[in-house]
């Protein structure tokens, strides 16, 4: 069971109204336990320039309830999780360097993932097939370059980023807007175990905290703070992904965006980021890597392997496909075959890894 006098002090201080993370951190330079706080005189606390008379008075009168702390610790234990305070060497240094960041994190999995070189991948909860494919391909490229992927575990692009990272053999960090006992969205519960095999799931909220709209902007600041940069894949003119991008810019982090269809409402936000010079237009993972410290991104790109020997029919289909999804009826017209004959051949080509079917009977070329 988690237990530590210093941790109990931290949990108590986070309950004091208005104290905030900066003041809490400053208090730990002069005390390490609740008993020390109880013995501390109000005038001594007030002499701390970060605390001042107002908060010194609040600290001395706010009731200490260690049973509340013990109950919280038991809840975390019941989830199989941990509490990571800001002084722990595994607590991300990038968060400690930024103001307004949480003084502790609740988590599942391997906390060492929080110290890895990371890139955030975020976007709309209702992506198009193009957005899903872009998130998958770019995430895979970033993982192959050795980056850990950070995202918000939401439906849509966030989930695609986590899944694509794991499929590529990478490590991912999921930042929740709820507690560890209230995984959201619920259909992602099985994904928690997959994430935790090499990475972790974290939150600043106690285990019994339900998802709340007010939590998600706070979650987004952690996503941005953990990462060297933020990649936005499809975003409407408002939403959480744009909030994350704005926070990353405020932290002097890089922001990248995938250009989208000008007639697609879910691409308005990303296109505007590019248009306003707030984000770099991204086509490949190399476009991101060359902007990151320690990643030159300037080496020659390896050519894709040529496809295996194709029949004339397969070659005709392959030549008409690209990374842009094409509907089967349109493709049938292009190759002058019936839709039924084409679907049979496309199934064979999918088994060979030459094409991929997207929802709605759209197809793209692989490789």
């Amino acid at each position: 069971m988690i237990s530590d006098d210093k941790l109990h002090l931290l949990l108590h201080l986070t309950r004091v109204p208005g104290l905030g993370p900066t003041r809490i951190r400053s208090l730990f330079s002069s005390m390490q336990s609740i008993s020390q706080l109880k013995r501390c005189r109000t005038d001594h606390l007030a002499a701390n320039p970060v605390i001042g008379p107002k908060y010194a008075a609040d600290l001395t009168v706010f009731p200490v309830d260690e049973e509340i702390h013990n109950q919280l610790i038991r809840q975390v234990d019941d989830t199989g999780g941990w509490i990571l305070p800001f002084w722990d060497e595994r607590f991300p240094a990038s968060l400690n360097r930024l103001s307004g960041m949480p003084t502790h994190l609740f988590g599942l999995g391997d906390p060492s993932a929080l110290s890895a070189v990371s890139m955030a991948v975020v976007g709309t909860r209702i992506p198009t097939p193009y957005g899903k494919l872009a998130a998958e391909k770019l995430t895979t490229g970033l993982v192959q370059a050795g980056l850990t992927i950070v995202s918000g575990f939401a439906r849509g692009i966030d989930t695609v980023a986590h899944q694509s990272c794991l499929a590529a053999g990478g490590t991912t960090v999921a930042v929740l807007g709820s507690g560890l006992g209230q995984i959201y969205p619920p259909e992602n519960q099985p994904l928690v175990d997959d994430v935790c095999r090499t990475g972790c799931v974290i939150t600043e909220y106690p285990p019994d905290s339900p998802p709340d709209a007010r939590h998600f902007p706070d979650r987004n600041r952690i996503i941005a703070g953990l990462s060297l940069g933020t990649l936005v894949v499809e975003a409407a003119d408002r939403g959480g992904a744009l909030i994350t991008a704005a926070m990353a810019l405020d932290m002097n982090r890089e922001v990248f965006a995938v250009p989208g269809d000008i007639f697609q409402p879910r691409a308005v936000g990303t296109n505007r980021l590019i248009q306003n010079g707030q984000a770099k237009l991204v086509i490949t993972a190399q476009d991101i890597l060359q902007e990151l410290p320690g990643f030159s991104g300037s080496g020659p790109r390896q050519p894709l392997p040529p496809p295996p020997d194709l029949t004339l029919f397969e070659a005709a289909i392959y030549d008409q496909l690209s990374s842009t999804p094409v509907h089967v009826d349109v493709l049938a017209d292009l190759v002058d075959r019936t839709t039924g004959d084409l679907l049979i051949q496309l199934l064979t080509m999918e088994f060979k890894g030459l094409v991929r079917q997207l929802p709605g009977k759209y197809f793209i070329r692989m490789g």
Side-chain angles (χ1 to χ4, degrees), residues 33-117:
S33 68
I34 288 178
S35 59
Q36 282 183 287
L37 175 62
K38 289 177 177 177
R39 292 195 303 267
C40 196
R41 289 168 39 184
T42 304
D43 57 337
H44 287 172
L45 288 170
N48 183 326
V50 179
I51 303 301
K54 178 186 183 303
Y55 292 104
D58 292 343
L59 279 167
T60 53
V61 299
F62 192 79
V64 174
D65 190 339
E66 295 204 36
E67 180 49 36
I68 290 179
H69 311 155
N70 289 328
Q71 181 181 357
L72 175 59
I73 290 168
R74 285 194 295 270
Q75 288 177 340
V76 176
D77 285 337
D78 289 344
T79 68
W82 33 262
I83 304 176
L84 197 65
F86 71 90
W87 60 80
D88 191 297
E89 62 182 11
R90 298 167 299 173
F91 192 90
S94 58
L95 297 189
N96 269 335
R97 288 193 293 265
L98 295 166
S99 63
M101 287 296 174
T103 55
H104 60 286
L105 297 168
F106 302 97
L108 298 167
D110 184 359
S112 67
L114 298 171
S115 301
V117 180

Side-chain angles (χ1 to χ4, degrees), residues 197-216:
R197 286 193 183 98
T198 55
C200 61
V201 175
I202 62 169
T203 178
E204 63 183 301
Y205 299 105
D208 59 355
S209 300
D212 188 299
R214 294 169 296 181
H215 292 173
F216 293 105

Side-chain angles (χ1 to χ4, degrees), residues 284-318:
T284 69
Q286 288 292 113
D287 297 330
I288 297 172
L289 297 174
Q290 65 188 5
E291 300 295 330
L292 301 180
F295 294 88
S296 67
S298 57
R301 296 176 186 172
Q302 296 300 315
L304 292 170
D309 292 336
L310 304 178
T311 66
L312 290 176
F313 190 13
E314 287 174 337
I317 296 170
Y318 197 78

Side-chain angles (χ1 to χ4, degrees), residues 7-15 69 72-73 83 104:
L7 179 60
H8 274 268
L9 174 61
L10 177 61
L11 297 178
H12 170 69
L13 294 176
T14 56
R15 295 177 52 240
H69 311 155
L72 175 59
I73 290 168
I83 304 176
H104 60 286

Side-chain angles (χ1 to χ4, degrees), residues 136-310:
E136 180 182 308
K137 291 213 167 199
L138 292 168
T139 297
T140 299
L142 295 171
V143 169
Q144 290 171 344
L147 287 164
T148 288
I149 302 301
V150 178
S151 197
F153 213 62
R155 296 183 178 102
I157 293 298
D158 288 20
T159 295
V160 172
H162 292 304
Q163 292 173 333
S164 301
C165 174
L166 295 170
T171 298
T172 185
V173 174
V175 187
L176 305 182
S178 60
L180 298 176
Q182 298 277 340
I183 298 297
Y184 183 83
E187 64 267 25
N188 274 0
Q189 179 70 55
L191 186 56
V192 171
D193 289 339
D194 295 334
V195 169
C196 290
R197 286 193 183 98
T198 55
C200 61
V201 175
I202 62 169
T203 178
E204 63 183 301
Y205 299 105
D208 59 355
S209 300
D212 188 299
R214 294 169 296 181
H215 292 173
F216 293 105
D218 289 340
R219 174 206 62 179
N220 295 343
R221 86 192 192 287
I222 296 177
I223 294 172
L226 285 172
S227 310
L228 285 178
T230 295
L231 169 64
V232 186
V233 184
E234 286 195 329
D237 57 349
R238 298 177 63 185
L242 294 186
I243 292 173
T244 307
M247 290 176 168
L249 290 170
D250 287 343
M251 297 172 191
N252 293 316
R253 308 290 168 87
E254 299 287 348
V255 175
F256 307 90
V258 176
D261 184 343
I262 63 171
F263 302 109
Q264 173 55 254
R266 280 167 277 185
V268 171
T270 43
N271 288 342
R272 285 267 166 77
L273 285 172
I274 296 167
Q275 183 183 50
N276 296 338
Q278 295 172 303
K280 177 179 177 178
L281 186 151
V282 168
I283 299 174
T284 69
Q286 288 292 113
D287 297 330
I288 297 172
L289 297 174
Q290 65 188 5
E291 300 295 330
L292 301 180
F295 294 88
S296 67
S298 57
R301 296 176 186 172
Q302 296 300 315
L304 292 170
D309 292 336
L310 304 178

